[in-house]
Amino acid sequence: MEASVILPILKKKLAFLSGGKDRRSGLILTIPLCLEQTNMDELSVTLDYLLSIPSEKCKARGFTVIVDGRKSQWNVVKTVVLMLQNVVPAEVSLVCVVKPDEFWDKKVTHFCFWKEKDRLGFEVILVSANKLTRYIEPCQLTEDFGGSLTYDHMDWLNKRLVFEKFTKESTSLLDELALINNGSDKGNQQEKERSVDLNFLPSVDPETVLQTGHELLSELQQRRFNGSEGGVSWSPMDDELLAQPQVMKLLDSLREQYTRYQEVCRQRSKRTQLEEIQQKVLQVVNWLEGPGSEQLRAQWGIGDSIRASQALQQKHEEIESQHSEWFAVYVELNQQIAALLNAGDEEDLVELKSLQQQLSDVCYRQASQLEFRQNLLQAALEFHGVAQDLSQQLDGLLGMLCVDVAPADGASIQQTLKLLEEKLKSVDVGLQGLREKGQGLLDQISNQASWAYGKDVTIENKENVDHIQGVMEDMQLRKQRCEDMVDVRRLKMLQMVQLFKCEEDAAQAVEWLSELLDALLKTHIRLGDDAQETKVLLEKHRKFVDVAQSTYDYGRQLLQATVVLCQSLRCTSRSSGETLPRLNRVWKQFTVASEERVHRLEMAIAFHSNAEKILQDCPEEPEAINDEEQFDEIEAVGKSLLDRLTVPVVYPDGTLPQPHGLHFAASCHSLPFYSVSLAASSLVFLLGFSSCVPQ
């Protein structure tokens, strides 16, 4: 009986072998009754199938039957117990009826079992689920009875179906393989071929059956290991139930017959395979030496631009794609030939090696030609790419040189000059890269092999060489022209930088001179308290004038340089037209103020010298002064100095004073009070002495 035939009944789980054992090592058969009425015929079929699985040795140890009546009626339990007498009378050693919480009539049930004990042939006990462990170890009971044994009925049923399917398929396959192998051993060649032809293909795939068997065996061994180590459930398909040894025996037989079958197939297919290889080798060689070589002969150029090189590359990729299909055939054929050579059949070795050598020579030669052509086109594409980039750089540099420079200041000129130098350096690097790419491409062309099988490719190569050299020479000439223009532009920009620098320095010289003038007018006002101090002031003033003179000369030189640079650059100075008048105006004001300062200091020296002489010669009595003329001279000098101090050196609007009459009172507000008061006090002192001089 097969499980697949009664599969709907087995799925109902009317009874099952959980893999647990009682204390006598007998198997435990569990009959879980439910609320619904149990079909006794189906239960009988289930018990017959389950009891057919264990070996006779297992059956001899007897069964412990657990009838789970917790969800059923007493009459059903009684019927099941009585049915066990007919189904497994000799195998049952103990029947444990698990009673429900609301128990049946104890007197009736006890009387009935006691009455039927001798007739049944086995002991029947009534126990509650929590006391079942008195008779069976907890590890051998399923979770339904408070045990730790795990049992999955559907998993067991699926494994059982796999086992029975494998057993059926392997048995059938063994018969077919034996028929094929026995037919191949017959002495008559005609009978051998006819037998093999009729049974050459088994009804099922041997590899699939073997794989199924190995998986099943692995599962059985793993379940046994887990059960012995970790306390997991023992499958009823373990070693004690004949599952594992039976699978191992079938696998051994299958491997033996399948090995013989493979040898029969190998011998039959070897000659056919050799003939197919010869035909395919001939096809590959004819195509590679024919259409394949013609395609390569037609491709020799490298293009004159990126677009042209890309088009040639795309065409070459199409050729490679066609060749790759034949190369794939070559790889497959080479593997087939190598496999046949490894088989070691001496009668075919010479022919196979000859085919392999011929195929390899043609394919390697064609592959090397394709690779060389691909590398050549890639090098040409890189060369044209570098040439295009260099051409764009030269165009950008030339465009920059053709635009007139109109910077706002020296900093912008410096920035522009730096950018120009960077572009020129980039062009140098690009030209060097172009030379390297071009030389590499020329070397590849010079080493080019004639893949036209004797065809002269010198003419085609000369055109490619002339094109490469022409591109490099043209780029060199363009670069040289740009360098010449850069030299001119660099000189012009440096002159412009110098022009801006001269203009800035000239303006700075005017500022310095203005500051000197301002210092002269505001701080250089003292005339000294005596002749010695005045002489010191005069000496300092002359040094001060020398500094101003140097500043003025420096500004004049810078302005003259701007004129020369503007003439060289053919432009007009932006500041020389304003700076020169300012410089002359400030210098004129400074000169007038300086000269006036000198005159005043010289008059002050004369005044102080005469006054000091008179004061030194003056006795205690003023009447002793008899030189009236000398005193009048001093008085005249003092009054003249006072008159000069009343006139401003430079008016507040920057204009110089015109010659006119001196008005002391009207002009004193324009002079420093200290200078006027000092000169006036000295003069008044001397005039006081004059009133004491005898007339």
Side-chain angles (χ1 to χ4, degrees):
M1 184 183 298
E2 296 180 0
S4 58
V5 178
I6 58 172
L7 183 60
I9 298 176
L10 293 177
K11 286 183 178 181
K12 294 181 179 180
K13 197 180 177 181
L14 299 177
F16 61 89
L17 290 168
S18 65
K21 299 178 182 179
D22 56 21
R23 293 172 179 171
R24 297 185 301 274
S25 297
L27 296 178
I28 297 176
L29 175 65
T30 304
I31 303 176
L33 300 178
C34 56
L35 295 176
E36 299 178 358
Q37 185 68 29
T38 302
N39 189 320
M40 295 301 166
D41 294 335
E42 293 181 350
L43 178 59
S44 177
V45 171
T46 301
L47 293 176
D48 290 340
Y49 176 76
L50 293 177
L51 294 176
S52 66
I53 295 175
S55 64
E56 295 299 326
K57 183 179 179 180
C58 292
K59 293 179 181 179
R61 289 196 290 266
F63 290 88
T64 294
V65 181
I66 299 177
V67 180
D68 188 0
R70 289 176 294 179
K71 298 180 180 179
S72 182
Q73 300 294 326
W74 164 246
N75 293 334
V76 177
V77 173
K78 180 180 178 181
T79 303
V80 171
V81 171
L82 293 176
M83 186 181 64
L84 293 176
Q85 181 185 15
N86 299 325
V87 178
V88 284
E91 288 83 357
V92 177
S93 58
L94 176 65
V95 176
C96 296
V97 178
V98 181
K99 59 185 178 180
D101 294 336
E102 297 178 359
F103 193 47
W104 312 292
D105 188 343
K106 181 175 181 181
K107 181 178 180 180
V108 173
T109 56
H110 184 270
F111 173 78
C112 291
F113 283 125
W114 177 80
K115 181 180 179 181
E116 300 291 337
K117 180 177 181 180
D118 295 335
R119 187 172 64 87
L120 290 174
F122 48 80
E123 183 181 1
V124 180
I125 59 175
L126 297 176
V127 295
S128 58
N130 56 356
K131 294 182 180 180
L132 193 60
T133 55
R134 295 179 180 178
Y135 306 95
I136 303 172
E137 296 294 334
C139 62
Q140 302 297 325
L141 291 173
T142 61
E143 296 176 353
D144 295 337
F145 303 108
S148 59
L149 182 64
T150 302
Y151 174 75
D152 186 342
H153 185 70
M154 293 307 299
D155 179 68
W156 171 84
L157 185 57
N158 291 333
K159 293 296 185 299
R160 188 66 190 175
L161 291 173
V162 172
F163 169 75
E164 291 183 355
K165 179 182 178 182
F166 168 73
T167 303
K168 181 178 180 181
E169 289 181 349
S170 59
T171 303
S172 174
L173 181 60
L174 283 173
D175 295 339
E176 294 176 359
L177 292 178
L179 180 62
I180 295 173
N181 295 333
N182 292 334
S184 65
D185 293 336
K186 293 181 180 179
N188 191 317
Q189 186 66 24
Q190 282 186 339
E191 293 181 1
K192 173 182 176 181
E193 291 181 358
R194 182 169 58 254
S195 175
V196 173
D197 288 339
L198 292 175
N199 305 280
F200 194 75
L201 294 178
S203 59
V204 293
D205 182 18
E207 292 286 349
T208 303
V209 177
L210 283 171
Q211 182 179 358
T212 303
H214 285 299
E215 292 175 354
L216 179 60
L217 181 60
S218 176
E219 177 67 20
L220 291 174
Q221 293 173 343
Q222 184 67 25
R223 291 167 66 89
R224 177 179 177 82
F225 175 77
N226 291 340
S228 61
E229 296 292 335
V232 185
S233 71
W234 286 54
S235 168
M237 296 167 58
D238 61 6
D239 183 49
E240 295 182 353
L241 301 183
L242 297 180
Q244 182 174 333
Q246 187 175 355
V247 172
M248 294 175 64
K249 182 178 180 180
L250 287 173
L251 284 175
D252 292 340
S253 300
L254 277 176
R255 279 192 291 266
E256 180 182 358
Q257 291 295 335
Y258 184 53
T259 301
R260 293 180 57 193
Y261 168 75
Q262 286 178 319
E263 179 63 21
V264 172
C265 294
R266 190 187 69 81
Q267 293 295 336
R268 176 177 176 81
S269 64
K270 184 179 64 175
R271 191 66 236 173
T272 303
Q273 185 179 8
L274 183 58
E275 294 175 356
E276 292 177 353
I277 289 175
Q278 291 175 339
Q279 184 179 2
K280 290 182 179 180
V281 168
L282 186 61
Q283 291 177 353
V284 173
V285 171
N286 289 340
W287 190 91
L288 292 179
E289 293 182 344
S293 297
E294 288 297 329
Q295 289 178 349
L296 286 176
R297 289 191 188 100
Q299 299 291 319
W300 55 267
I302 61 172
D304 57 358
S305 62
I306 293 180
R307 182 173 298 179
S309 296
Q310 288 176 341
L312 290 174
Q313 222 173 22
Q314 184 176 2
K315 178 64 178 177
H316 183 73
E317 289 175 356
E318 295 175 359
I319 296 175
E320 282 186 332
S321 177
Q322 297 179 18
H323 278 75
S324 63
E325 298 176 0
W326 292 97
F327 288 152
V329 176
Y330 157 71
V331 172
E332 181 181 356
L333 289 174
N334 197 35
Q335 293 175 349
Q336 293 177 2
I337 293 174
L340 292 177
L341 289 174
N342 293 331
D345 295 333
E346 296 183 358
E347 58 183 8
D348 300 328
L349 287 180
V350 177
E351 184 178 2
L352 286 173
K353 288 183 177 180
S354 176
L355 287 174
Q356 188 180 41
Q357 188 64 39
Q358 179 187 10
L359 184 62
S360 298
D361 291 343
V362 174
C363 289
Y364 279 123
R365 182 171 60 249
Q366 201 75 358
S368 63
Q369 294 168 3
L370 286 170
E371 183 180 6
F372 179 85
R373 175 64 180 169
Q374 176 62 32
N375 294 337
L376 184 66
L377 290 176
Q378 182 62 34
L381 181 63
E382 293 175 359
F383 172 77
H384 289 124
V386 174
Q388 179 174 304
D389 293 341
L390 180 59
S391 179
Q392 293 175 353
Q393 291 177 1
L394 289 170
D395 291 341
L397 180 58
L398 183 61
M400 184 177 179
L401 293 171
C402 291
V403 177
D404 195 12
V405 180
D409 51 27
S412 61
I413 294 179
Q414 293 284 3
Q415 185 67 24
T416 305
L417 184 60
K418 181 180 178 181
L419 180 61
L420 195 64
E421 296 291 348
E422 290 177 353
K423 284 185 174 293
L424 184 60
K425 183 178 180 180
S426 178
V427 168
D428 289 336
V429 174
L431 183 59
Q432 181 63 29
L434 181 66
R435 291 196 187 100
E436 293 176 358
K437 295 292 184 182
Q439 187 59 47
L441 186 56
L442 290 174
D443 292 341
Q444 283 185 321
I445 293 176
S446 64
N447 296 329
Q448 181 177 5
S450 176
W451 56 57
Y453 301 102
K455 179 182 177 182
D456 187 8
V457 295
T458 305
I459 298 177
E460 291 86 345
N461 284 342
K462 186 177 184 304
E463 293 183 9
N464 294 332
V465 170
D466 292 343
H467 168 69
I468 296 169
Q469 293 177 345
V471 171
M472 291 193 294
E473 291 173 358
D474 178 62
M475 292 300 172
Q476 178 63 38
L477 291 175
R478 291 179 60 186
K479 188 250 185 183
Q480 187 61 46
R481 289 195 296 269
C482 287
E483 280 184 343
D484 296 339
M485 296 179 67
V486 167
D487 292 339
V488 175
R489 177 58 60 87
R490 185 187 296 112
L491 178 59
K492 182 177 180 180
M493 297 179 75
L494 291 175
Q495 288 178 342
M496 295 184 70
V497 172
Q498 190 175 3
L499 174 61
F500 280 117
K501 182 63 176 175
C502 289
E503 290 178 347
E504 292 175 0
D505 291 348
Q508 184 64 48
V510 174
E511 293 296 328
W512 289 342
L513 196 58
S514 298
E515 292 175 0
L516 292 174
L517 175 60
D518 189 59
L520 176 61
L521 295 176
K522 294 182 178 180
T523 62
H524 293 206
I525 55 177
R526 294 187 71 254
L527 298 178
D529 295 335
D530 51 34
Q532 184 63 31
E533 184 180 0
T534 304
K535 288 178 181 180
V536 173
L537 291 174
L538 180 60
E539 183 64 26
K540 290 183 178 179
H541 176 72
R542 286 172 179 167
K543 293 180 180 180
F544 184 75
V545 171
D546 291 340
V547 174
Q549 181 67 48
S550 299
T551 304
Y552 171 72
D553 294 340
Y554 176 65
R556 291 283 298 182
Q557 292 173 1
L558 291 173
L559 291 175
Q560 289 175 0
T562 59
V563 173
V564 175
L565 290 173
C566 286
Q567 291 175 353
S568 175
L569 295 171
R570 297 179 182 179
C571 66
T572 58
S573 175
R574 300 180 302 173
S575 59
S576 60
E578 300 175 359
T579 307
L580 182 58
R582 285 181 57 206
L583 179 65
N584 290 333
R585 183 172 62 254
V586 175
W587 176 246
K588 184 176 181 181
Q589 293 174 354
F590 184 87
T591 303
V592 172
S594 175
E595 291 176 354
E596 179 63 26
R597 173 69 172 166
V598 171
H599 291 321
R600 292 180 181 183
L601 288 173
E602 289 176 349
M603 291 176 68
I605 291 173
F607 174 76
H608 285 303
S609 298
N610 292 331
E612 290 173 1
K613 183 178 180 182
I614 293 174
L615 293 175
Q616 290 175 0
D617 296 340
C618 180
E620 296 180 359
E621 296 296 334
E623 291 83 358
I625 302 176
N626 298 320
D627 194 351
E628 184 177 355
E629 292 180 1
Q630 186 180 7
F631 187 82
D632 292 338
E633 183 181 352
I634 295 174
E635 183 179 7
V637 173
K639 289 182 178 181
S640 177
L641 180 58
L642 287 175
D643 291 339
R644 204 173 192 96
L645 290 174
T646 60
V647 180
V649 180
V650 178
Y651 288 115
D653 60 357
T655 59
L656 299 174
Q658 299 295 328
H660 59 278
L662 300 177
H663 302 283
F664 179 84
S667 301
C668 282
H669 68 279
S670 301
L671 299 174
F673 175 76
Y674 178 76
S675 298
V676 178
S677 61
L678 177 61
S681 61
S682 300
L683 185 58
V684 170
F685 175 76
L686 292 175
L687 291 177
F689 276 100
S690 66
S691 63
C692 299
V693 177
Q695 302 294 326

